[in-house]
Amino acid sequence: YLDEPAGTNSTSRHVNSFSLLAGIGDYKKQAQALEKTSIPVRPATAGFMLYWTMEAKFRAGMSQAALDDIRKVYGHMLSFGASTTWEKCDLTVGDHPNEVEAAGSRCHGWSAGPARLLPAHVLGVQPGEPGFATVKIEPNLCDLKWAEGVIPTPKGIIKVRWEKGTELTGTVTLPPGMTGEAKVGGRTIALKPGENVIKGR
């Protein structure tokens, strides 16, 4: 689980991410290894490898850590006025003007991971069957008070809004012909096409 060459103390969050995502070995041990490597040895960078690390954290039950990663890295880009996702993001640069020069491609598809991660893991929208023939929704707002989004699927648009009070409540609107289920507060709720209002008990 740990990428530790003999005689060194280095670890690799990438090795642990892919080990966890592949389901190799003991899941709890993999998650612990990923937690151990969450403090990067080198500056965090956006890009496809950061996407897989955040995906692994969400799947390992480390959703808050993954959301904090998104805030840290993509918040850093925003502080420099980014309106697209950069190829690279050096968190050690601070307010130095060379950060923009170090960004590489200023509009890099591999760095757009949060566009999938936030709907899939915070809003909790996942296909129940291939092609979104059905949908499974299990939100996890972490420290957010509310979250909403619009998710395009082959069958049409899914609209979701969640609000955190004493209990999690929300509205899920499914396109015609789509059904599914939502897991909220220990309950499994059947979803029908159109608007589904999910209230507390």
Side-chain angles (χ1 to χ4, degrees), residues 113-163:
R116 180 203 168 265
L117 293 168
L118 294 173
H121 296 289
V122 176
L123 294 178
V125 178
Q126 304 267 359
E129 297 176 62
F132 274 96
T134 61
V135 65
K136 288 187 177 181
I137 302 179
E138 189 169 0
N140 183 354
L141 268 58
C142 302
D143 62 356
L144 298 172
K145 293 181 179 178
W146 62 271
E148 67 179 351
V150 175
I151 299 93
T153 79
K155 297 194 72 172
I157 296 294
I158 298 174
K159 296 180 181 178
V160 179
R161 179 177 174 87
W162 299 110
E163 294 184 19

Side-chain angles (χ1 to χ4, degrees), residues 60-123:
M62 299 164 60
S63 298
Q64 186 63 57
L67 186 58
D68 289 343
D69 286 347
I70 292 172
R71 285 177 171 142
K72 184 189 305 178
V73 175
Y74 292 86
H76 186 75
M77 289 186 208
L78 289 172
S79 72
F80 284 91
S83 58
T84 55
T85 53
W86 296 351
E87 179 180 9
K88 294 178 281 187
C89 181
D90 185 344
L91 299 181
T92 66
V93 172
D95 293 328
H96 195 283
N98 285 341
E99 168 65 348
V100 176
E101 296 304 317
S105 167
R106 307 282 177 84
C107 187
H108 203 71
W110 281 353
S111 295
R116 180 203 168 265
L117 293 168
L118 294 173
H121 296 289
V122 176
L123 294 178

Side-chain angles (χ1 to χ4, degrees), residues 10-87:
S10 65
T11 57
S12 168
R13 60 192 183 280
H14 299 145
V15 167
N16 289 301
S17 295
F18 284 117
S19 172
L20 190 150
L21 290 168
I24 299 171
D26 182 88
Y27 195 85
K28 183 176 180 181
K29 187 173 181 181
Q30 293 163 9
Q32 290 171 342
L34 186 58
E35 177 67 34
K36 181 178 178 181
T37 58
S38 289
I39 302 172
V41 180
R42 57 190 174 82
T45 59
F48 74 100
M49 287 307 302
L50 182 60
Y51 168 82
W52 291 114
T53 300
M54 291 187 294
E55 173 74 11
K57 286 184 178 182
F58 275 119
R59 290 196 198 179
M62 299 164 60
S63 298
Q64 186 63 57
L67 186 58
D68 289 343
D69 286 347
I70 292 172
R71 285 177 171 142
K72 184 189 305 178
V73 175
Y74 292 86
H76 186 75
M77 289 186 208
L78 289 172
S79 72
F80 284 91
S83 58
T84 55
T85 53
W86 296 351
E87 179 180 9

